[in-house]
Amino acid sequence: MFDANILTQIKESVARRIKSDKSLLDELRQEVKILNGSVRVIQPRSTTAFSLVASDGGNNQLFFDPFMIQLIRVVDSYGKEFCIDTVSPMTDTDILSSAQFDSGAPKTVLGVMMRDLGVRELSELSPMIPSGREIRENPDKVKPRWVQVYRDLCEWAVLYDRICYQTFATDTLIVRDGLLRSMIFDKDLFITWRKKVEEAVERIKTEDKRNVYLVGIAKKSKVLTRYNLALMLENIMPSGDPCYVRVPREMEANAYVWPDYALGPETEGRGGMAPKYVAGDMYFVRFGSRAGDPVWTVDILSSQSENASKIFGYLLSDAVNGFPVPLYPRCLQAAHEYAQVNGFDLQIVQDEIYTAVRGVLSPQEQWVLDAFQFDGSDAF
């Protein structure tokens, strides 16, 4: 706890800083004024909506995990499982890469995406994944975060496979957990990913007479954090109806440390830096009718941005029944519920870790693990 004198100093310092920096808020209010006249009302529409979500390693609260095992699991909002694997920071990625293929042919959805993007090794797919040689020769220098990158790649791979290689019985809205942008792909591979998805969407529309729409939604974003107060002060999204507004790329760039994270596909062919990280156009959207209802950040696949009113109508129908988070797409919340590994499922994983660790110990050492497992230390 701060003592009284320190707390007084902090209050005075914060007050001085806010007063001296008020010009920044004035600038933000001026920026959002360009959105006046661009806000559109959302009319509800009905279609099939589903989401894909990968299990969050933070939810796998194992009390015994010396190898830092992460369960990689991707499910949809109906509970269907598309990908399951286990890795640890010390997993040899050369072996992990080989496991995606069988005699050269893809064996997993990640293998399918790697083949279509023209890579055979995970370290070629993402510069954030170390090569097997790095892990074998310099294990102390390997950053454990690569496991999270692998999980995200599996999620992108399931999304890719679902659009490019599966069929759709009805018009369908696919909702990604997170915006349609990523910095984990190497070089121009994310551009290739986007173009192949766009080609698949067009093929489905032409051959199957079905419309497949792709959006990504984020509860929090740096862009919304920067402009949210200014939006409310300028009453850009007035109460009365659910509504949305397109966010100009210039406003995106002002919010990001890396301006190229705001370069969209519309910049292709103009020279300069390629749009390597972005596949969507950004919108602020409010599914409630009141000014105080939450505003979310949504990316619509750039080639489908002209269908924004229709897409947000579909999202609205799904969001009005959002639970436990009000006015947030129900399909995404359902996918999160199915993706969580807890209760009996978590106990199964925990028991398997005990069994596997016991198997690598000598008979003379196994009693130590048995004593650890049954000493009751996990009861509280």
Side-chain angles (χ1 to χ4, degrees):
M1 293 287 292
F2 293 120
D3 63 38
N5 292 333
I6 294 297
L7 186 57
T8 299
Q9 293 180 37
I10 291 175
K11 288 181 178 179
E12 292 175 351
S13 177
V14 169
R16 286 196 305 271
R17 185 59 52 215
I18 295 297
K19 185 175 181 179
S20 64
D21 290 350
K22 182 179 179 296
S23 59
L24 174 59
L25 179 58
D26 294 336
E27 291 175 9
L28 296 178
R29 295 180 66 170
Q30 194 63 35
E31 285 185 53
V32 301
K33 284 182 179 179
I34 66 172
L35 301 180
N36 274 319
S38 300
V39 178
R40 299 289 180 265
V41 172
I42 305 175
Q43 301 296 337
R45 298 168 180 261
S46 297
T47 194
T48 301
F50 78 91
S51 179
L52 297 164
V53 171
S55 297
D56 184 355
N59 292 329
N60 305 341
Q61 298 178 0
L62 298 165
F63 55 82
F64 176 74
D65 186 17
F67 293 92
M68 296 187 288
I69 298 292
Q70 287 290 316
L71 179 65
I72 309 297
R73 181 169 173 259
V74 183
V75 301
D76 67 10
S77 45
Y78 301 106
K80 182 176 180 179
E81 207 163 64
F82 291 90
C83 174
I84 187 161
D85 196 2
T86 56
V87 296
S88 77
M90 291 297 102
T91 297
D92 189 319
T93 56
D94 288 346
I95 297 175
L96 191 60
S97 297
S98 299
Q100 313 306 320
F101 300 90
D102 183 8
S103 300
K107 188 170 64 173
T108 65
V109 290
L110 181 55
V112 169
M113 186 178 76
M114 292 171 68
R115 178 201 62 192
D116 288 1
L117 297 183
V119 299
R120 297 287 298 186
E121 302 293 332
L122 289 168
S123 56
E124 296 174 338
L125 182 60
S126 173
M128 300 179 187
I129 294 185
S131 66
R133 181 177 180 179
E134 290 179 81
I135 291 177
R136 292 189 299 270
E137 297 182 357
N138 300 293
D140 294 339
K141 296 182 179 180
V142 173
K143 296 181 179 179
R145 185 179 177 273
W146 78 261
V147 174
Q148 174 71 36
V149 174
Y150 177 72
R151 189 203 77 147
D152 292 345
L153 287 171
C154 289
E155 192 173 45
W156 283 108
V158 171
L159 181 61
Y160 178 84
D161 181 78
R162 187 67 183 86
I163 296 175
C164 295
Y165 291 102
Q166 306 300 318
T167 58
F168 296 86
T170 63
D171 288 358
T172 303
L173 174 67
I174 301 176
V175 184
R176 180 180 184 270
D177 182 24
L179 300 177
L180 299 181
R181 48 194 77 198
S182 176
M183 300 185 77
I184 64 176
F185 288 84
D186 196 19
K187 300 177 182 176
D188 295 343
L189 292 181
F190 193 54
I191 294 178
T192 305
W193 186 98
R194 170 180 56 82
K195 289 182 176 180
K196 287 185 177 295
V197 166
E198 290 173 341
E199 291 169 0
V201 167
E202 189 60 33
R203 173 181 52 77
I204 294 168
K205 181 178 180 180
T206 302
E207 297 179 1
D208 301 337
K209 311 302 179 185
R210 296 288 183 265
N211 292 305
V212 176
Y213 303 105
L214 175 60
V215 302
I217 183 168
K219 290 181 181 177
K220 298 180 180 179
S221 74
K222 291 183 178 180
V223 182
L224 183 57
T225 298
R226 177 181 173 88
Y227 291 108
N228 204 8
L229 177 59
L231 288 171
M232 296 180 69
L233 290 172
E234 294 299 324
N235 197 28
I236 298 299
M237 305 175 78
S239 60
D241 295 288
C243 56
Y244 69 92
V245 63
R246 169 78 184 273
V247 181
R249 294 292 188 193
E250 294 78 11
M251 288 177 61
E252 289 185 44
N254 290 339
Y256 289 126
V257 175
W258 306 100
D260 45 345
Y261 202 56
L263 285 178
E266 71 278 358
T267 62
E268 285 185 299
R270 299 181 185 177
M273 185 173 293
K276 299 188 294 183
Y277 310 121
V278 180
D281 294 348
M282 182 180 288
Y283 294 80
F284 292 147
V285 58
R286 190 190 68 214
F287 295 118
S289 59
R290 299 170 299 181
D293 286 331
V295 175
W296 315 114
T297 308
V298 176
D299 266 351
I300 293 179
L301 187 67
S302 293
S303 60
Q304 299 181 323
S305 203
E306 61 185 21
N307 297 308
S309 62
K310 182 184 297 185
I311 291 171
F312 284 124
Y314 295 146
L315 266 180
L316 174 62
S317 295
D318 193 54
V320 291
N321 297 317
F323 181 83
V325 181
L327 301 173
Y328 191 71
R330 176 58 194 156
C331 67
L332 190 52
Q333 297 189 64
H336 271 286
E337 292 168 6
Y338 283 117
Q340 290 184 10
V341 182
N342 49 31
F344 186 63
D345 290 337
L346 186 62
Q347 186 60 53
I348 291 175
V349 176
Q350 181 67 86
D351 289 346
E352 289 303 318
I353 290 178
Y354 271 124
T355 301
V357 173
R358 195 174 193 277
V360 299
L361 298 178
S362 68
Q364 294 77 22
E365 296 171 323
Q366 290 175 355
W367 72 270
V368 177
L369 181 62
D370 294 338
F372 178 88
Q373 184 175 2
F374 297 112
D375 69 358
S377 60
D378 60 311
F380 301 99

